[in-house]
Amino acid sequence: MPLLMLMADVSADYGEAVKSDVFPPFDPTYYPSQLFWLAITFGALYFILSRMILPKLGANLERRSDAVADDLDEAARLNEQAEDAQKTLEKNLAEARAAARAKSLLAEQTVSEEIAIETQKVDRQIDEKLKTAETRITVVRSEAMDHVQSIATDTTKNIIAKLGFEVSEKEAVKAVEGAMDD
Amino acid sequence: MRIAFAAIEDPIKQFEVKSLYPIKNVFGYDLSFTNASAYMVLGIILVIALFGYAASRPSLVPTRLQSIGELGYEFVANMIRSVAGEDGLRFFPFVFTLFFFILAANMVGMVPYAFTTTSHIIVTAAMALFVIGLVILYGFYKNGLKFFKLFAPSGAPWPIYFILIPIEVISFLARPLTLSLRLFANMLAGHIMIKLFAGFAVALASAGIVWIPFALVSFIMGIALNALEFLVAFLQAYVFAILTCVYLNDALHPAH
């Protein structure tokens, strides 16, 4: 340590700087004081930390981790709830859809049934009307035929009368019938 | 040259203990309140202020300072848990106090002109001996004579024990020595180095214009060393605390 030697050389320049020959950390003068104050300060720090500060700090940290865990639990619970709601919603939707389909199918059936019944009814009515019409036609035709006979008889009688002959009703009818049968 | 070098302050002077308030002759001992004592008090005040503040704010979302305090708490708790297991946490307040007492002392010592209490062998030795004493007392209290298993790790073939046991005993006895010397020597050497380089920078700068580049190099070295010393200040506190955990682990689980 040439520097230290230099220091010793110039020690006169700044007086009491190098006053002790002992290296200060190995100077036992203040060992009792060092130990005493170390014990006091270390003990005080230990007491204050372990009794007052650390339990509070630990409780704070625990409370925070508890709060975080609680929040996470709550979030998980809410998430589950949301999922349940989603499932219920989907189920309800599916049910509603199925019900609607069934209803529309039923309605379709009823309507087609009604249509069939109505058609039948209308058909029957038409048939009935056709029948009455037909019978009326036959009646009218036979009536007309009767009239034709009587007209023919009258015409025959008149033609013969014009020719100067007298003919009885019966004979005229007979002749007409005979002609018509041909 | 003589005048120039006179500007260098003695790098050893910073370790001098000076009485501030003499308390002499307590049962024959000098228990004066010294600058070392004052810096110890300052250190614990800083620790108490930081953690007291952090603990007094129970807000769910922590502020910055509160977060630092809580990080410190978790840091020490995790350190004990990983080294000594869950049952090592009974020593949590002690390890916490030890770590932050040393860290505060080292960090306060980094302030220029401040005194570094951990640069005195008596202080580090007292703490190391206390730790080892605690390990031995708790080891015998908890395990009884099974604590001696510490010196005979199981699983070795029996002739090996003739060498193994002496080695284990010696390494156990060396623990307080290495524990105290490591911290003491690191703090002492670091502070001497910083002081030397800083002193050289001033001395060379005032020695003449030709010396300016050398002064600059010395100055930059001083800055670099200062940064390194901050790392060492933290690291040595951490090493002391984690070795304490390792030794306490031996007391908790001697059969390893």
Side-chain angles (χ1 to χ4, degrees):
Chain A
M1 291 272 239
L3 186 76
L4 280 181
M5 280 164 11
L6 214 113
M7 286 294 158
D9 194 31
V10 296
S11 62
D13 294 352
Y14 52 123
E16 46 122 46
V18 188
K19 65 177 177 194
S20 168
D21 291 337
V22 190
F23 185 50
F26 297 144
D27 179 5
T29 316
Y30 287 109
Y31 277 4
S33 149
Q34 290 270 54
L35 289 174
F36 176 74
W37 287 104
L38 172 66
I40 295 269
T41 51
F42 194 92
L45 184 62
Y46 179 81
F47 181 82
I48 292 169
L49 283 178
S50 67
R51 289 292 153 86
M52 298 160 164
I53 292 174
L54 292 179
K56 241 199 242 170
L57 211 55
N60 283 356
L61 284 168
E62 204 158 303
R63 201 171 48 240
R64 174 161 330 124
S65 69
D66 279 358
V68 169
D70 280 358
D71 285 357
L72 282 176
D73 282 355
E74 178 74 5
R77 201 178 60 74
L78 288 177
N79 191 34
E80 222 163 81
Q81 240 174 34
E83 270 170 14
D84 280 356
Q86 170 88 8
K87 266 183 209 152
T88 327
L89 174 72
E90 272 167 15
K91 214 179 77 184
N92 285 351
L93 259 173
E95 270 170 11
R97 229 174 252 141
R101 202 173 294 130
K103 222 172 207 173
S104 81
L105 221 70
L106 196 75
E108 223 176 85
Q109 252 171 19
T110 351
V111 167
S112 57
E113 263 167 33
E114 265 171 24
I115 287 172
I117 290 167
E118 205 71 8
T119 317
Q120 262 180 2
K121 215 163 93 187
V122 170
D123 279 355
R124 224 179 296 126
Q125 276 174 359
I126 290 169
D127 278 355
E128 261 166 39
K129 272 189 183 157
L130 271 172
K131 259 182 215 154
T132 35
E134 263 169 27
T135 41
R136 254 186 68 91
I137 287 168
T138 28
V139 168
V140 168
R141 188 188 279 154
S142 62
E143 264 174 22
M145 285 314 256
D146 283 355
H147 286 303
V148 164
Q149 215 169 358
S150 67
I151 289 166
T153 315
D154 279 348
T155 313
T156 312
K157 258 170 45 178
N158 283 340
I159 290 168
I160 289 165
K162 282 265 173 81
L163 290 169
F165 299 99
E166 195 76 30
V167 124
S168 69
E169 187 83 28
K170 269 188 189 165
E171 276 173 331
V173 170
K174 215 186 206 168
V176 167
E177 270 178 359
M180 279 179 71
D181 282 346
D182 292 345
Chain B
M1 286 301 276
R2 221 181 109 106
I3 295 151
F5 277 117
I8 302 181
E9 194 145 347
D10 183 356
I12 304 301
K13 205 180 156 203
Q14 59 178 322
F15 302 114
E16 269 171 18
V17 180
K18 287 171 230 125
S19 174
L20 298 180
Y21 182 82
I23 307 169
K24 293 199 190 255
N25 243 330
V26 182
F27 302 110
Y29 294 113
D30 178 2
L31 303 182
S32 299
F33 188 79
T34 63
N35 54 342
S37 323
Y39 278 100
M40 283 178 195
V41 172
L42 176 65
I44 73 162
I45 285 172
L46 290 177
V47 174
I48 291 167
L50 172 64
F51 290 101
Y53 173 80
S56 69
R57 304 198 37 123
S59 70
L60 205 58
V61 179
T63 58
R64 274 180 219 178
L65 218 54
Q66 188 192 348
S67 196
I68 290 170
E70 288 171 356
L71 278 174
Y73 185 99
E74 294 278 317
F75 177 72
V76 176
N78 288 334
M79 177 164 74
I80 297 172
R81 233 179 255 129
S82 64
V83 175
E86 208 62 40
D87 48 350
L89 283 179
R90 73 179 58 213
F91 293 110
F92 175 70
F94 175 66
V95 177
F96 190 93
T97 308
L98 196 62
F99 176 67
F100 280 101
F101 185 88
I102 297 170
L103 184 67
N106 292 356
M107 286 300 176
V108 166
M110 286 309 296
V111 177
Y113 299 109
F115 185 89
T116 318
T117 51
T118 42
S119 66
H120 277 249
I121 184 77
I122 184 69
V123 174
T124 61
M127 288 191 288
L129 283 171
F130 188 85
V131 168
I132 300 299
L134 184 70
V135 166
I136 292 171
L137 283 179
Y138 187 76
F140 280 118
Y141 163 74
K142 183 162 180 274
N143 308 291
L145 291 178
K146 279 185 194 154
F147 184 56
F148 282 116
K149 273 191 189 163
L150 179 64
F151 302 118
S154 56
W158 68 267
I160 298 291
Y161 283 117
F162 286 109
I163 343 168
L164 199 57
I165 291 172
I167 290 174
E168 289 282 339
V169 170
I170 290 167
S171 83
F172 187 85
L173 292 176
R175 277 174 181 182
L177 205 66
T178 53
L179 194 58
S180 54
L181 278 179
R182 187 180 300 110
L183 177 58
F184 159 68
N186 265 288
M187 300 322 292
L188 184 83
H191 282 81
I192 290 177
M193 291 290 280
I194 292 174
K195 201 84 170 187
L196 270 180
F197 275 97
F200 261 133
V202 175
L204 287 167
S206 54
I209 196 92
V210 274
W211 295 100
I212 293 285
F214 295 97
L216 211 62
V217 170
S218 186
F219 182 61
I220 290 164
M221 275 299 287
I223 291 170
L225 272 172
N226 219 40
L228 180 74
E229 275 313 298
F230 270 108
L231 182 71
V232 169
F234 172 79
L235 215 60
Q236 287 307 318
Y238 179 66
V239 165
F240 202 102
I242 207 152
L243 283 174
T244 299
C245 293
V246 170
Y247 301 157
L248 285 170
N249 182 42
D250 284 343
L252 288 158
H253 322 104
H256 54 157

